[in-house]
């Protein structure tokens, strides 16, 4: 099973709302990732968790707050977002953080900030 | 200079054609290489890893040239269903994505 699941599929929120994106994998992977993708652009890395510890933060604004409750789950908490944060948010996982491991992506959450 | 560069296309080809994409990378210490396929408004899906000796999976062949720092993807006998954006990905401590090459296969 190479499935990564994400909820919700779509999310519309106002700039004062607080919401969370969820990601789950049951492949026993120990590295998980958040990416942001704007239309016609490649995914941009936001955060990497390796063995449930945050290992990379690509200078993401603090209005995005990641959380890794356990090895299967990854959350992205959103607060006071801006309209330019509207994008497809992709979660991915890999066996571990080693460079030769492929990443498997979830279907994404399409976020619209009004 | 971008870490990974791809021709954005689009490549418009008829069914049955052979099409090749190239991708160059800037960091000679890059450790692993992949091709992903992304359909419109969907997530990237792993097409194939790229090995030093080259590798083939059905109609798809990937090559790596470390000396010239490029990877390639060859698609033979193109199908309508091959229409997508193909992302070149290079790993050096993290994944670096090319901007993608759009392929349109026409009937």
């Amino acid at each position: 099973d190479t499935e990564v699941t994400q909820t919700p599929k779509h999310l519309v929120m106002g700039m004062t709302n607080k919401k969370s994106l969820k990601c789950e994998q049951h492949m026993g992977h120990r590295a998980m990732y958040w990416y942001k993708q704007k239309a016609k652009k490649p995914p941009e890395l936001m955060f990497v968790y390796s063995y449930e510890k945050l290992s990379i933060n690509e200078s993401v604004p603090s209005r995005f707050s990641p959380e890794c409750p356990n090895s299967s789950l990854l959350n992205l908490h959103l607060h006071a977002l801006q309209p330019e944060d509207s994008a497809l948010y992709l979660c991915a996982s890999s066996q571990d953080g080693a460079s030769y491991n492929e990443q498997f992506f979830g279907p994404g959450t399409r976020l619209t900030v009004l | 200079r971008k870490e990974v560069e791809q021709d954005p296309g689009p490549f418009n080809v008829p069914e049955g054609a052979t099409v090749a994409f190239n991708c160059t990378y800037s960091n000679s210490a890059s450790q692993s290489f992949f091709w992903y396929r992304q359909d419109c408004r969907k997530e990237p899906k792993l097409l194939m890893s790229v090995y030093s000796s080259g590798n083939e999976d059905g109609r798809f062949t990937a090559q790596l040239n470390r000396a010239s720092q490029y990877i390639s993807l060859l698609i033979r006998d193109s199908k309508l269903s091959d229409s997508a954006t193909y992302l070149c990905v290079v790993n050096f401590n993290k994944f670096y994505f090319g901007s993608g090459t759009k392929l349109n296969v026409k009937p």
Side-chain angles (χ1 to χ4, degrees):
Chain A
D1 181 9
T2 55
E3 190 177 61
V4 177
T5 59
Q6 289 187 244
T7 55
K9 283 189 168 39
H10 300 276
L11 178 63
V12 179
M13 60 187 290
M15 289 190 284
T16 58
N17 293 156
K18 284 187 184 181
K19 297 285 185 185
S20 296
L21 309 185
K22 297 187 183 301
C23 173
E24 191 167 4
Q25 56 87 16
H26 293 289
M27 296 178 276
H29 287 174
R30 303 310 300 270
M32 296 184 77
Y33 310 79
W34 280 115
Y35 287 87
K36 172 183 176 178
Q37 187 175 23
K38 300 282 260 185
K40 299 188 189 303
K41 299 286 189 185
E44 295 172 37
L45 183 65
M46 300 174 73
F47 303 103
V48 180
Y49 273 82
S50 180
Y51 292 87
E52 298 152 58
K53 292 194 185 327
L54 183 65
S55 59
I56 295 178
N57 176 341
E58 291 285 296
S59 303
V60 179
S62 59
R63 57 186 185 268
F64 295 91
S65 174
E67 179 196 18
C68 189
N70 60 53
S71 59
S72 301
L73 291 174
L74 186 65
N75 298 323
L76 186 63
H77 302 298
L78 313 173
H79 174 52
L81 294 194
Q82 304 296 311
E84 60 265 27
D85 296 321
S86 298
L88 180 67
Y89 287 84
L90 293 160
C91 174
S93 71
S94 64
Q95 187 169 344
D96 55 33
S99 62
Y100 49 81
N101 288 321
E102 305 96 336
Q103 290 185 16
F104 296 93
F105 287 82
T109 293
R110 194 161 296 279
L111 174 68
T112 302
V113 181
L114 301 177
Chain B
R1 184 181 171 191
K2 290 183 183 177
E3 287 87 1
V4 182
E5 303 222 41
Q6 288 183 256
D7 181 342
F11 284 58
N12 298 308
V13 302
E15 270 186 293
T18 295
V19 61
F21 309 137
N22 286 332
C23 161
T24 58
Y25 60 95
S26 60
N27 191 329
S28 61
S30 296
Q31 295 153 317
S32 53
F33 310 87
F34 308 92
W35 283 102
Y36 279 76
R37 169 202 168 120
Q38 187 168 27
D39 292 285
C40 188
R41 299 179 69 82
K42 300 282 192 181
E43 76 273 25
K45 293 195 173 173
L46 179 68
L47 183 64
M48 55 200 305
S49 302
V50 187
Y51 303 120
S52 296
S53 54
N55 47 301
E56 189 173 304
D57 182 3
R59 298 181 293 108
F60 299 85
T61 300
Q63 299 274 0
L64 167 63
N65 185 317
R66 283 192 184 269
S68 301
Q69 292 181 209
Y70 77 82
I71 68 173
S72 63
L73 177 68
L74 182 78
I75 305 176
R76 288 180 299 277
D77 189 23
S78 300
K79 311 289 185 196
L80 294 176
S81 57
D82 294 333
S83 297
T85 295
Y86 290 82
L87 295 163
C88 168
V89 181
V90 173
N91 194 321
F92 177 70
N93 295 327
K94 67 177 189 181
F95 265 31
Y96 291 91
F97 286 81
S99 54
T101 297
K102 188 166 174 56
L103 173 65
N104 295 316
V105 181
K106 308 284 190 184

